[in-house]
Amino acid sequence: MNFKIISREKNSNARVGRLVTAHGTVDTPAFMPVGTQATVKTLTPRTLKEEISAGIILSNAYHLFIRPGIAIIKKGGGLHKFMSWDGPILTDSGGYQIFSLATFQKIEEEGVAFSSHFDGRKLFLKPEDVIKIQFDLGSDIMMVLDECLPYPSQRSEVTRSIELTARWAYRSKKEFNLLKRDNSRLLFGIVQGGIYPDLRR
């Protein structure tokens, strides 16, 4: 990963950095407009770039998988062409959406079974599937599938959950390494742990 710290604040952990991706450089910290379903509502790509100076956009693999579907986006030349955005794109794994929107969900070691919030279809996604989806989209930065627990949750349940998320992250990284052809794609882990600082660490 090509990330360089440009400056640090002496009295805190604050920092300014620069992240290089295949579709451009992102100065951090960054304002990341949300284009969940391949569009930032009410704003054109030109407005985002020229008036807001957005360096990166976030889209959601879950929502794009549900509709319009990965095959349609691939046929359209990938997510960048599909949404007319030539800058970096980070795609969220959809873990939160699976656990918050699905009318049915069952978490297993292998992955998660759930019903689409859109049309009720029964679906099953493994951590590896989520990585493949994000490769098909052409994401610059991909997130691993994680389990999102409700608040409040008992410490024992949070402990079980982060251990599962860590195993899924390991599998995601393995799949990522199998699919990547160069160092132009980036994979980010997700921090879980609820309200427990030691579990978050």
Side-chain angles (χ1 to χ4, degrees):
M1 179 174 76
N2 192 348
F3 177 72
K4 182 179 180 182
I5 295 174
I6 306 300
S7 180
R8 288 186 184 273
E9 212 285 326
K10 292 179 183 177
N11 300 317
S12 73
N13 290 324
R15 67 187 189 186
V16 173
R18 188 159 291 147
L19 176 65
V20 178
T21 78
H23 287 89
T25 300
V26 182
D27 291 324
T28 68
F31 169 63
M32 193 181 314
V34 177
T36 299
Q37 294 175 305
T39 181
V40 179
K41 290 180 174 60
T42 75
L43 299 176
T44 65
R46 180 182 293 175
T47 299
L48 288 167
K49 192 167 287 259
E50 295 177 5
E51 296 181 31
I52 298 176
S53 300
I56 185 169
I57 287 178
L58 183 149
S59 284
N60 190 281
Y62 166 85
H63 283 288
L64 297 172
F65 171 70
I66 295 294
R67 65 176 173 165
I70 305 308
I72 289 174
I73 294 173
K74 278 183 76 174
K75 191 173 180 181
L79 188 55
H80 289 85
K81 286 187 178 179
F82 188 80
M83 65 191 299
S84 297
W85 174 257
D86 62 2
I89 297 175
L90 179 148
T91 46
D92 190 3
S93 69
Y96 175 76
Q97 286 70 32
I98 289 170
F99 300 109
S100 65
L101 295 177
T103 54
F104 158 82
Q105 55 156 298
K106 183 179 179 187
I107 297 129
E108 304 171 3
E109 184 67 35
E110 189 61 19
V112 59
F114 62 98
S115 295
S116 161
H117 74 286
F118 178 62
D119 58 12
R121 278 180 297 157
K122 297 285 191 287
L123 300 164
F124 187 87
L125 286 176
K126 299 182 290 187
E128 294 87 350
D129 296 331
V130 173
I131 296 301
K132 287 176 189 168
I133 286 167
Q134 292 177 91
F135 265 96
D136 285 343
L137 291 171
S139 309
D140 295 287
I141 304 172
M142 306 173 199
M143 307 298 276
V144 301
L145 182 64
D146 59 328
E147 181 185 7
C148 299
L149 290 181
Y151 173 83
S153 291
Q154 295 296 318
R155 183 184 175 90
S156 59
E157 180 63 8
V158 176
T159 300
R160 180 211 57 77
S161 178
I162 62 168
E163 288 171 353
L164 176 65
T165 291
R167 290 193 299 273
W168 283 358
Y170 176 82
R171 288 168 53 191
S172 296
K173 188 167 194 292
K174 194 172 177 182
E175 186 69 20
F176 177 84
N177 287 335
L178 283 173
L179 295 175
K180 74 175 185 175
R181 298 290 175 257
D182 51 41
N183 292 321
S184 64
R185 309 283 187 97
L186 304 173
L187 180 69
F188 275 34
I190 295 175
V191 174
Q192 291 291 2
I195 61 170
Y196 306 101
D198 60 317
L199 296 183
R200 294 179 70 81
R201 279 192 291 272

